[in-house]
Amino acid sequence: MSEAKKFSDPLIEQLDQVKARVAQVLELAKSLGADGAEVAMSRQQGLSVGTRLGEVENVEFTNDGALGITVYQQGRKGSASTADLSEKALVQAVEAAVNIAKYTSVDDCSGLADKALLAMQPINLDLYHPKELSTEQAIDIAKECEQSALDSDSRITNSDGASLDCFSGFKVYGNSNGQLVGYPSSRHSLSCMVIAGSDDEMQRDYAYDVNRDFTLLNSGISIGKKAAREAISRLNPQKIATQKVPVLFRADIANTLWGHFIAAISGGNLYRKSSFLLDAIGKEVFPDFLTIQERPHIKKALASSAFDSEGVLTQDRDIIIDGVLQTYLLTSYSARKLGLTSTAHAGGIHNWLVKDENSHAKGDVNADFDTMLKTLGTGLLVTELMGQGVNVVNGDYSRGAAGFWVENGELAYPVSEITIAGNLTQMFKGIIAVGSDIDKHGSIRTGSILIDEMQVAGH
Amino acid sequence: MNNVEQTLLADSHIDDAILSKTLNSMMGRQVNFADLYFQSSQHESWMLEDGIVKEGSYNMERGVGVRAISGEKTGFAYSDDISPLALQQAADAAKGIADSGNGTQVQAFKRQSPIKIYQTVEPLGSLTQEQKIDLLHQVETHARQVDSRVSQVIVSLSGVHEKILVAASDGSYGTDIRPLVRLNCSVLVEENGKRERASAGGGARTDYSYFFESECNATGQEKARYLTYAEEAVRQALVNLVAVDAPAGTFPIVLGAGWPGVLLHEAVGHGLEGDFNRKGSSAFSGKIGQQVASTLCTIVDDGTMENRRGSVNIDDEGTPGQYNVLIEKGILKGYMQDKHNAELMGVKPTGNGRRESYAHLPMPRMTNTYMLAGESSPEDIIKSVKKGIYAPNFAGGQVDITSGKFVFTSSEAYLIENGEITTPIKGATLIGSGPEAMKKVSMVGNDLKLDAGVGVCGKDGQSVPVGVGQPTLKIDEMTIGGTQ
């Protein structure tokens, strides 16, 4: 993007106005008696188009804004938010927050993040790549994507459509410790969902890509073909017998396991003693070949951020070294409850890289999907999970699943209407290998994960 | 002019003439329907933990959504600024989907006043701030008094006051005031180093006085609702403290009355929403008039239940809430429709056009979905099972409407051995195929019960409040995902 264009970008001009607005709101909170305050304000605009069976289905123009304020008054906290950004509404929100702080209790652990931890001059992470598209251009992209799915195989009989979403916006955060920061960002995604089969045997599946930079999105044709391939591969599934087997979580599903791990080491669950990983720092939670690194400053990445939602500076962190837990994920509040320091995790994690040091050490960078299937040998490949059957308090795990039966390293037939169950403590220790087939769609970059044994329930 | 018209229109200098003009400007094209949806809502929540009120928040939302439909195409734009200018800008964007040409005429507004299913109360002001704080403390105190193994209590209270106004090119014109309250108690119990968490609560479309009304608790005593929530949370957590690993495999399942109706919501409800059936993507598509469940099953979606969480005086397109029979004695009778899908399928809208807010498009959504009572006593149903599972409480569910596969996860369950409820088992996921599971319903109890008013349904990223219910019922065979 040229400098000239940057200066004429109305969104960037708005960002500066909103910074001034946030400063005013902080002043107002102070004048109403707050001894501390923090304000977050965001604005997002975009275009979403959907096509189905070659025709336009939806054209939506997005335009959202919101302001959230938290005030502190002698250890008491009050919050308010508004999606109406008129002057009147902003004043009302500040007054409501101050009023609430009259009734909440004094809490020694509440308050703004420690001043020394704040990101006063955040670095630019190159997250803003707006794309100017006319409605017609957007429709053509979605149509092309869906058409490639419909054309790719006669067993594709119906479609839930394709959609293209392009959003850009900004976030501004300020607090009464003198921090006032903001940055613009963009996010573009293209997805397609189609149906294979007919009547009593229909299967649907989807494919998508998402990127901060529109030009880096996978082509609509490749996304459409992938959606068609996935839907067809699921046709005529069988239910397998109840048994204990090794289970391979495909890379795009594997991140759910890391999601449960994140919940278990999050400060909120730890100080509430609601985690199966209490007092686990310094302990071996995973096999010794497993390493997890957090890298918040990867340029253009989806989960990159220079500061967390409390303004705390993010930094590179080791989460797991040789299978051993190095840190919890803490906000200012949960850190104070545990007598620790914030780790800049208010609002979530920032780009995790999961590595299997075994394959690295051996110079074996080819633990690709096929190799993982061979390592699995005979067992279950899971490609879809359903339901919320995970208990973070004790680690019990029981979820609906679909996937493929694998025999001697080869896909044998699709499987559905089964459950897989175990306990996360044992599942984590029972990881045999992590693939190099890294899924880069989300905030966790992981390959497929092979677990030694889980209980399958079927017929 | 009513209070809603004052807040949403008059205060922003919008009158009938501007509404008509805006709709007219869209219909000048090949648009066959257009509507305007104005909304203003206030929401508050309070949270107590560790014996102190840690959080309180107040949220405001206000805006207008503008939709234009041309055949199967929908154009949509919205604004958080309610003003004549913003309204026209949104309309100009929304109508861009249609080619220019001659559209349908805008009909004169027909102001309707349907029967009120819930009253126009204002929940947020129905208790003073001091009384709200006191209520939180009382729930906590009661939970701790019930059992000394309670080591933590989190109580949350929330209230919503929402005003909406719909004006459409077909002459629909309606306003609604929608109160909604919710109280929840979550506890952690601890014994010999073992911990379990459970929560219970309820809510309704009324004000906070709802929580002080009495109802029967688990042991049949009359008690104020806020006390029964605390007792129920502790009871469930203590059951789970002694629960053993659940079995893995296929068993007969007895589902309790009330909240386990989430089964119907997942196994049948979503698959009967009009949009999926118009597109032919549901496992129930094209099956009207066919046997899709056992003859014992009559399932309805009822938006007209007094003060219920899922009820609507009018839906978000101005259609009054209705009592719709979905399945009668096992035969599929009809789908749930919004205006768009009803028009395309040549049927009438059923009062199921709902949206999360002005910034979201309406879709066919459930209201309160339940199965009518049958003839069996719950005791006889349990007695009929030699070896199986009794599941009176669930955490939630999910469905793939195309393959029909659905899951739901138990939060309280027991083994049934030789016709008796015996050992508690840990939470586990149950999986089945909607059409198959409903055909395997072999006994239906005479004890129809609705849930306590806690349901939230998510679809395409939009959340709306819903209700579920059912009598005790038996499914001859379902797969349960335990570890033994």
Side-chain angles (χ1 to χ4, degrees):
Chain A
M1 191 196 314
S2 70
E3 282 300 297
K5 186 166 179 210
K6 210 174 209 167
F7 283 112
S8 64
D9 187 335
L11 199 83
I12 298 297
E13 284 169 20
Q14 240 188 57
L15 197 157
D16 289 329
Q17 291 164 12
V18 165
K19 273 191 174 175
R21 203 85 178 274
V22 165
Q24 284 167 9
V25 171
L26 286 166
E27 274 306 310
L28 178 61
K30 198 174 161 191
S31 72
L32 291 174
D35 49 42
E38 57 188 325
V39 174
M41 195 159 167
S42 64
R43 190 89 229 180
Q44 177 174 274
Q45 60 193 44
L47 172 66
S48 294
V49 302
T51 63
R52 179 172 172 269
L53 298 176
E55 298 288 334
V56 180
E57 191 166 61
N58 288 322
V59 176
E60 295 186 39
F61 299 92
T62 312
N63 187 5
D64 295 292
L67 173 134
I69 176 165
T70 298
V71 301
Y72 301 94
Q73 211 160 0
Q74 291 156 348
R76 302 166 189 266
K77 178 181 171 185
S79 306
S81 69
T82 174
D84 172 359
L85 298 179
S86 65
E87 197 65 42
K88 189 178 139 201
L90 296 188
V91 173
Q92 234 180 316
V94 179
E95 287 172 348
V98 171
N99 177 272
I100 285 167
K102 293 191 170 82
Y103 297 95
T104 50
S105 315
V106 174
D107 184 345
D108 296 339
C109 294
S110 79
L112 297 172
D114 301 343
K115 205 169 174 179
L117 301 176
L118 299 179
M120 300 306 269
Q121 297 289 337
I123 51 170
N124 180 352
L125 297 172
D126 196 20
L127 306 179
Y128 183 56
H129 299 270
K131 176 72 182 172
E132 291 276 332
L133 275 183
S134 68
T135 310
E136 290 71 24
Q137 287 170 314
I139 289 168
D140 287 344
I141 294 166
K143 273 186 180 170
E144 179 190 54
C145 175
E146 193 201 23
Q147 202 58 45
S148 85
L150 295 173
D151 290 347
S152 67
D153 194 298
S154 62
R155 286 168 291 175
I156 299 297
T157 54
N158 200 346
S159 172
D160 270 337
S163 63
L164 176 68
D165 302 280
C166 293
F167 298 119
S168 54
F170 58 79
K171 283 181 186 163
V172 171
Y173 173 85
N175 61 34
S176 54
N177 274 336
Q179 189 180 21
L180 183 60
V181 288
Y183 63 93
S185 66
S186 56
R187 190 182 173 93
H188 314 279
S189 64
L190 179 58
S191 66
C192 179
M193 170 143 39
V194 288
I195 295 172
S198 56
D199 295 330
D200 283 340
E201 174 45 20
M202 290 195 295
Q203 295 290 337
R204 67 174 184 193
D205 212 332
Y206 68 98
Y208 75 105
D209 196 23
V210 53
N211 207 296
R212 300 252 181 222
D213 185 345
F214 184 86
T215 61
L216 298 178
L217 275 181
N218 287 340
S219 79
I221 291 174
S222 69
I223 292 169
K225 282 186 173 155
K226 180 158 188 270
R229 213 164 47 232
E230 302 285 353
I232 289 164
S233 72
R234 297 168 68 123
L235 281 172
N236 304 309
Q238 300 179 34
K239 197 163 173 168
I240 53 175
T242 300
Q243 59 192 301
K244 286 195 157 89
V245 286
V247 173
L248 178 63
F249 289 75
R250 198 171 67 186
D252 58 331
I253 293 297
N255 59 31
T256 63
L257 293 175
W258 304 123
H260 307 318
F261 170 57
I262 289 166
I265 61 165
S266 289
N269 283 328
L270 293 167
Y271 86 75
R272 293 183 176 107
K273 293 198 162 66
S274 297
S275 165
F276 62 95
L277 290 178
L278 296 180
D279 305 316
I281 286 201
K283 292 189 182 147
E284 201 161 301
V285 176
F286 295 102
D288 62 6
F289 56 78
L290 202 121
T291 295
I292 300 178
Q293 299 165 333
E294 183 170 66
R295 294 290 178 264
H297 302 157
I298 299 172
K299 293 268 156 75
K300 287 190 182 182
L302 287 170
S304 288
S305 47
F307 52 90
D308 76 354
S309 60
E310 297 180 309
V312 175
L313 180 70
T314 53
Q315 48 190 295
D316 287 358
R317 243 171 240 284
D318 292 318
I319 309 293
I320 295 286
I321 299 178
D322 300 338
V324 176
L325 181 65
Q326 305 297 310
T327 182
Y328 296 139
L329 309 177
L330 305 172
T331 62
S332 296
Y333 186 80
S334 62
R336 288 176 196 135
K337 289 294 277 187
L338 294 164
L340 299 166
T341 305
S342 167
T343 57
H345 285 101
I349 61 149
H350 323 281
N351 302 320
W352 277 18
L353 315 180
V354 180
K355 287 183 180 161
D356 179 336
E357 298 293 346
N358 259 354
S359 47
H360 273 262
K362 282 188 289 185
D364 177 9
V365 289
N366 291 317
D368 61 9
F369 180 63
D370 287 340
T371 310
M372 291 296 282
L373 279 181
K374 293 211 162 49
T375 315
L376 167 68
T378 296
L380 181 70
L381 166 67
V382 173
T383 59
E384 186 190 12
L385 289 166
M386 289 178 83
Q388 305 84 24
V390 179
N391 183 338
V392 182
V393 180
N394 59 23
D396 285 343
Y397 182 100
S398 167
R399 299 191 71 186
F404 296 85
W405 185 249
V406 179
E407 263 173 36
N408 304 317
E410 305 275 342
L411 296 185
Y413 51 84
V415 171
S416 81
E417 208 182 323
I418 57 162
T419 59
I420 54 171
N423 183 281
L424 286 166
T425 309
Q426 282 101 49
M427 286 162 64
F428 287 166
K429 291 214 167 111
I431 293 175
I432 294 172
V434 180
S436 60
D437 50 343
I438 309 283
D439 182 74
K440 290 186 176 174
H441 281 110
S443 52
I444 303 162
R445 297 184 184 186
T446 180
S448 52
I449 296 177
L450 177 57
I451 292 181
D452 58 354
E453 187 180 84
M454 289 187 73
Q455 177 69 55
V456 169
H459 58 70
Chain B
M1 181 181 307
N2 68 31
N3 172 288
V4 177
E5 290 169 313
Q6 181 69 44
T7 315
L8 291 174
L9 301 182
D11 288 357
S12 302
H13 313 291
I14 293 172
D15 57 19
D16 269 21
I18 293 177
L19 296 179
S20 296
K21 192 181 113 212
T22 310
L23 289 169
N24 255 317
S25 75
M26 290 192 275
M27 305 299 283
R29 297 186 155 216
Q30 284 178 345
V31 166
N32 40 11
F33 177 84
D35 66 1
L36 312 172
Y37 180 86
F38 298 84
Q39 181 200 12
S40 152
S41 71
Q42 288 89 42
H43 170 268
E44 69 168 354
S45 65
W46 297 89
M47 193 268 280
L48 174 146
E49 184 184 1
D50 300 331
I52 60 173
V53 178
K54 284 190 180 173
E55 314 245 350
S57 73
Y58 178 79
N59 311 290
M60 297 178 287
E61 228 180 318
R62 184 181 158 85
V64 56
V66 178
R67 175 170 66 147
I69 297 178
S70 171
E72 296 201 10
K73 298 182 211 171
T74 301
F76 181 56
Y78 56 88
S79 169
D80 55 26
D81 172 23
I82 300 183
S83 68
L85 177 66
L87 192 60
Q88 194 55 53
Q89 283 171 344
D92 288 343
K95 74 183 181 188
I97 45 138
D99 301 326
S100 52
N102 291 319
T104 325
Q105 284 282 308
V106 174
Q107 304 294 307
F109 294 137
K110 295 180 277 290
R111 281 178 161 73
Q112 45 183 349
S113 34
I115 299 158
K116 290 244 182 305
I117 296 157
Y118 38 85
Q119 300 309 309
T120 54
V121 293
E122 200 281 280
L124 278 59
S126 65
L127 289 181
T128 63
Q129 308 287 58
E130 288 85 353
Q131 287 170 322
K132 292 169 198 168
I133 306 293
D134 188 51
L135 173 60
L136 296 175
H137 281 293
Q138 286 196 44
V139 174
E140 195 220 10
T141 307
H142 193 62
R144 288 187 187 277
Q145 277 168 358
V146 172
D147 198 286
S148 61
R149 286 167 289 181
V150 172
S151 63
Q152 257 179 45
V153 183
I154 299 175
V155 189
S156 59
L157 176 74
S158 67
V160 183
H161 185 224
E162 181 180 77
K163 295 175 183 177
I164 65 122
L165 184 150
V166 194
S169 60
D170 61 3
S172 295
Y173 184 97
T175 63
D176 197 13
I177 295 181
R178 296 170 175 168
L180 190 65
V181 293
R182 175 95 164 79
L183 176 63
N184 197 71
C185 176
S186 164
V187 301
L188 185 78
V189 295
E190 242 178 300
E191 190 174 31
N192 302 327
K194 208 180 160 199
R195 294 183 192 85
E196 281 290 347
R197 184 174 276 291
S199 68
R205 288 211 179 274
T206 178
D207 63 26
Y208 292 134
S209 62
Y210 179 77
F211 302 118
F212 298 90
E213 293 168 7
S214 49
E215 65 171 17
C216 272
N217 68 5
T219 55
Q221 289 170 289
E222 286 276 321
K223 276 208 179 151
R225 284 197 175 94
Y226 70 93
L227 297 173
T228 65
Y229 298 158
E231 291 172 10
E232 179 59 14
V234 176
R235 189 191 64 75
Q236 281 192 35
L238 292 176
V239 167
N240 285 325
L241 208 49
V242 294
V244 301
D245 289 340
T250 301
F251 296 92
I253 310 282
V254 176
L255 301 171
W259 179 239
V262 74
L263 161 85
L264 308 173
H265 180 100
E266 305 297 352
V268 199
H270 279 296
L272 298 183
E273 289 167 341
D275 45 354
F276 301 130
N277 288 287
R278 190 231 331 154
K279 297 174 187 173
S281 61
S282 163
F284 289 100
S285 295
K287 294 201 168 151
I288 296 237
Q290 293 183 28
Q291 188 88 34
V292 296
S294 96
T295 53
L296 299 171
C297 299
T298 296
I299 300 165
V300 301
D301 183 79
D302 183 0
T304 69
M305 304 185 82
E306 192 182 358
N307 293 356
R308 278 277 161 199
R309 187 174 162 84
S311 295
V312 287
N313 281 329
I314 54 170
D315 72 4
D316 295 321
E317 297 179 310
T319 309
Q322 291 180 28
Y323 176 91
N324 295 301
V325 178
L326 306 175
I327 291 173
E328 188 171 22
K329 295 182 176 158
I331 308 285
L332 180 57
K333 288 291 177 187
Y335 303 123
M336 290 168 275
Q337 300 287 4
D338 62 357
K339 283 185 176 174
H340 180 42
N341 289 288
E343 166 84 19
L344 292 169
M345 290 181 80
V347 295
K348 289 203 156 125
T350 57
N352 291 93
R354 304 183 66 191
R355 62 203 294 174
E356 182 178 304
S357 78
Y358 69 87
H360 299 86
L361 275 169
M363 290 184 281
R365 302 297 295 264
M366 285 173 259
T367 61
N368 305 297
T369 314
Y370 57 92
M371 182 186 287
L372 301 193
E375 315 222 309
S376 306
S377 76
E379 296 75 23
D380 286 347
I381 297 178
I382 299 289
K383 267 187 212 152
S384 74
V385 178
K386 193 162 183 308
K387 185 172 184 236
I389 310 292
Y390 172 60
N393 271 301
F394 284 89
Q398 191 185 333
V399 64
D400 172 338
I401 50 110
T402 301
S403 69
K405 301 291 181 278
F406 71 96
V407 294
F408 54 148
T409 304
S410 70
S411 57
E412 180 188 0
Y414 305 82
L415 292 177
I416 305 176
E417 292 166 299
N418 299 315
E420 297 209 3
I421 295 170
T422 59
T423 318
I425 53 174
K426 285 184 173 183
T429 292
L430 283 81
I431 191 163
S433 159
E436 285 169 34
M438 295 317 293
K439 284 178 187 156
K440 289 178 188 160
V441 172
S442 61
M443 291 178 92
V444 174
N446 54 14
D447 56 341
L448 169 63
K449 206 173 109 184
L450 270 284
D451 78 285
V454 298
V456 179
C457 170
K459 176 177 172 184
D460 279 358
Q462 292 194 41
S463 294
V464 295
V466 295
V468 296
Q470 67 176 33
T472 300
L473 61 83
K474 178 171 134 187
I475 299 177
D476 281 339
E477 202 180 62
M478 262 192 94
T479 299
I480 176 166
T483 53
Q484 291 299 303

